Amino acid sequence: MREVRFSAPAPEGIGVELIGVPPGADIDLDLRLESVMEGVLVSGVSTVPLAGECGRCLEAVSNTLSVDLQELFAYPESESGGDDEDLARMEGDLLDLEPVLRDAVVLALPLTPLCRPDCGGLCTECGERLDDLPEDHAHDAPDPRWAALQDLSRSTSTTDNQEK
Ligand SMILES: [Zn+2]
Ligand SMILES: [Zn+2]
């Protein structure tokens, strides 16, 4: 059994629409390689940097993700698995970790990354981030059909028609 620890630059295209691993960023791998009957069992943890944008307000999001990896790499000449295309196979003495890492990371990615758990998103009226706006941010005419009514009420009363 061997333990290996190393960093490698991220390949292109690990990610989903809104968030992923920036190509070239350092990926840390902390792995155990165990020789078993059919091949080499690789297990361990990989830590990857993430960059993307908040699914609600589009603010840039960056953090790190740790994923567990486990994969059996069959010896190139081993019979196990037969023609199973999904079986990872060693190429000579080399293990291609990229597909394993890619699958693990993509599965662990949030479908909707958020800049913070209770991100308020964008104001539907003006498109500004609600988190950047005062709490009582509101627009006078939320719907054009009400605008005429509001003009009416403004001309007939001086009190503020807040609904809360
Ligand atoms: Zn956000
Ligand atoms: Zn607004």
Side-chain angles (χ1 to χ4, degrees):
M1 196 201 88
R2 265 171 61 199
E3 299 203 11
V4 290
R5 200 173 283 200
F6 62 99
S7 302
E12 298 270 336
I14 298 189
V16 293
E17 194 179 343
L18 288 174
I19 195 161
V21 184
D26 274 346
I27 290 182
D28 290 322
L29 295 138
D30 190 351
L31 304 174
R32 287 154 54 106
L33 310 179
E34 274 171 90
S35 184
V36 295
M37 284 284 282
E38 312 90 328
V40 175
L41 180 65
V42 177
S43 56
V45 179
S46 175
T47 305
V48 302
L50 296 179
E53 54 191 34
C54 175
R56 289 189 195 149
C57 72
L58 309 182
E59 187 88 337
V61 173
S62 65
N63 49 25
T64 57
L65 176 72
S66 287
V67 291
D68 291 328
L69 302 178
Q70 186 168 47
E71 187 80 21
L72 175 69
F73 286 85
Y75 292 124
E77 68 279 12
S78 93
E79 297 286 310
S80 63
D83 294 330
D84 187 354
E85 298 271 322
D86 290 337
L87 184 74
R89 231 169 246 284
M90 293 177 67
E91 292 159 30
D93 290 339
L94 300 176
L95 305 174
D96 184 5
L97 288 170
E98 191 184 315
V100 179
L101 180 73
R102 188 183 295 270
D103 287 354
V105 170
V106 168
L107 273 179
L109 288 175
L111 280 179
T112 306
L114 297 176
C115 57
R116 57 191 191 91
D118 54 351
C119 170
L122 300 176
C123 173
T124 52
E125 288 298 308
C126 64
E128 297 289 320
R129 287 183 75 220
L130 288 174
D131 290 352
D132 293 340
L133 296 167
E135 232 169 76
D136 59 353
H137 175 74
H139 293 266
D140 281 345
D143 184 312
R145 285 168 290 183
W146 294 106
L149 278 177
Q150 277 185 342
D151 284 345
L152 260 180
S153 68
R154 219 174 273 137
S155 57
T156 54
S157 103
T158 50
T159 54
D160 200 355
N161 269 355
Q162 290 224 334
E163 284 181 17
K164 276 186 200 160

